[in-house]
Amino acid sequence: MIKKFRVPFDQKIKLKDYDPDDTDEYKESGDVRDQFKEFNMRMIDLQEVMYAEKKHGLLIILQAMDAGGKDGTIKHVMRGINPQSCRVTSFKIPSDEESSHDFLWRYHKAVPPRGYVGIFNRSHYEDVLVTRVHKLISDKVAKERFNQINEFEELMTENGITILKFYLHISKSEQKARLQERLDNKDKHWKFSKNDLRERSQWDEYMDAFEDVFNNCSTKHAPWYIIPSNHKWFRNLAVAKILVQAMEDMKMSTPKPEEGLEKLVIE
Ligand code: ATP
Ligand code: MG
């Protein structure tokens, strides 16, 4: 399942070949409930070891169209994790100060230190997605940024930070249903912005921009995963599985304790 969703490093992909409705071998949420719980418990244990050992960090990057499920993924997949060692950063339109620096400045500051998990809710990829769709940058600048992003990410990984990049892939009709649901339910109005409709009208341009990102920035050190996300239960399972696998691959262990602790008795 992991390999199927990982964008290959050495060949071009077409986003239309990835089915947002895919649920692999499973039919319904009940089929994966126990497995998801196991992944979740394993992730919590591994994260504690990561915090104790402080040799590795994990940066999770989430990108999606509006209503694609970034918030839901954070809420469900990261459930139970120790808040002390985890930080979520949501990136909005850059402030004046942020825009006056190079485009990677604000992201670099938010990269987690070793021992910690960092989640980017939107990321430096906005600088080659929304900016490109709105023609704020040229294709030439986008190409330069792809290289700069790859080098930036390589720098992170060479310094002990594992990077996982997830695109939560929903269909245009699924987005319609989710946005309409937000409109139909007053309690969800706060989640809706008329701006979402403007972005939706450029759906095809976004798909082209995403495809270009995957074909230029899925690297051995920081792969992209295209997660079928029309079914939230499957999306959560796939992300959890990839996270656990990446943390297992770190081969972590808790630091060596002081000598003679097993004989100590507290009086
Ligand atoms: P929600 O799911 O709650 O709507 P959101 O991530 O969509 O969360 P919003 O405040 O609705 O948050 O939107 C943030 C907006 O900021 C998006 O439209 C996004 O494209 C834009 N944005 C983020 N980073 C950049 C950037 N580097 N340059 C330009 N626009 C950006
Ligand atoms: Mg939004």
Side-chain angles (χ1 to χ4, degrees):
M1 188 209 278
I2 294 184
K3 196 151 180 262
K4 180 169 158 193
F5 301 139
R6 184 168 52 214
V7 177
F9 318 131
D10 48 4
Q11 79 201 60
K12 302 275 179 230
I13 61 111
K14 288 261 174 250
L15 196 45
K16 67 171 174 39
D17 295 334
Y18 289 78
D19 178 8
D21 267 317
D22 190 3
T23 53
D24 205 37
E25 67 202 86
Y26 309 104
K27 287 209 164 53
E28 55 186 28
S29 58
D31 297 344
V32 305
R33 200 161 289 139
D34 291 346
Q35 218 187 335
F36 178 74
K37 267 196 201 132
E38 266 172 46
F39 285 143
N40 186 248
M41 286 186 310
R42 185 76 193 118
M43 181 193 69
I44 292 168
D45 288 347
L46 284 161
Q47 212 254 325
E48 197 168 298
V49 183
M50 184 191 280
Y51 185 63
E53 193 196 46
K54 295 214 167 37
K55 282 193 184 156
H56 300 268
L58 179 62
L59 173 60
I60 300 164
I61 291 177
L62 295 173
Q63 287 287 159
M65 295 297 284
D66 285 303
K70 294 183 273 82
D71 291 350
T73 302
I74 296 169
K75 185 164 147 187
H76 294 288
V77 178
M78 306 312 286
R79 180 172 291 163
I81 206 150
N82 183 352
Q84 181 160 255
S85 46
C86 177
R87 187 167 68 154
V88 183
T89 314
S90 298
F91 293 100
K92 312 282 179 187
I93 296 170
S95 66
D96 286 349
E97 189 195 14
E98 287 168 342
S99 319
S100 64
H101 287 270
D102 72 87
F103 80 99
L104 289 170
W105 181 74
R106 65 174 183 160
Y107 308 103
H108 200 159
K109 284 199 301 183
V111 170
R114 287 181 283 271
Y116 291 75
V117 175
I119 302 170
F120 282 5
N121 183 343
R122 300 188 189 268
S123 66
H124 40 289
Y125 285 98
E126 290 294 326
D127 296 81
V128 284
L129 286 165
V130 63
T131 48
R132 209 163 174 208
V133 169
H134 291 280
K135 306 222 179 317
L136 302 174
I137 61 166
S138 65
D139 286 353
K140 181 171 170 285
V141 169
K143 192 94 203 146
E144 284 163 7
R145 287 190 176 184
F146 290 149
N147 290 332
Q148 288 155 352
I149 287 173
N150 288 341
E151 280 172 15
F152 168 65
E153 292 179 351
E154 197 171 352
L155 173 71
M156 300 304 128
T157 52
E158 282 179 0
N159 281 278
I161 308 300
T162 296
I163 303 177
L164 297 174
K165 303 182 290 199
F166 297 107
Y167 168 60
L168 309 178
H169 187 31
I170 58 165
S171 59
K172 196 173 178 189
S173 57
E174 179 65 19
Q175 191 199 44
K176 175 185 158 97
R178 291 186 189 182
L179 290 177
Q180 189 63 51
E181 195 192 324
R182 290 180 180 182
L183 282 175
D184 293 345
N185 180 351
K186 268 209 168 113
D187 292 339
K188 290 198 175 174
H189 278 187
W190 66 274
K191 280 192 167 198
F192 189 89
S193 154
K194 285 183 186 162
N195 191 31
D196 297 350
L197 298 181
R198 224 177 34 231
E199 301 306 316
R200 177 175 163 78
S201 71
Q202 292 190 284
W203 183 273
D204 293 341
E205 288 85 346
Y206 267 105
M207 291 306 110
D208 288 346
F210 269 113
E211 198 173 272
D212 229 16
V213 160
F214 303 141
N215 285 328
N216 284 282
C217 297
S218 189
T219 56
K220 198 158 173 287
H221 53 267
W224 265 107
Y225 293 89
I226 300 176
I227 306 293
S229 298
N230 273 4
H231 302 280
K232 296 173 184 172
W233 56 268
F234 183 74
R235 171 201 76 199
N236 294 341
L237 180 83
V239 172
K241 183 168 183 167
I242 293 166
L243 283 183
V244 167
Q245 183 64 56
M247 290 167 101
E248 301 272 15
D249 288 347
M250 293 174 187
K251 307 265 178 272
M252 298 178 289
S253 53
T254 46
K256 214 166 151 253
E258 292 175 41
E259 303 246 338
L261 289 192
E262 49 299 316
K263 293 193 198 93
L264 270 184
V265 178
I266 311 292
E267 289 184 13

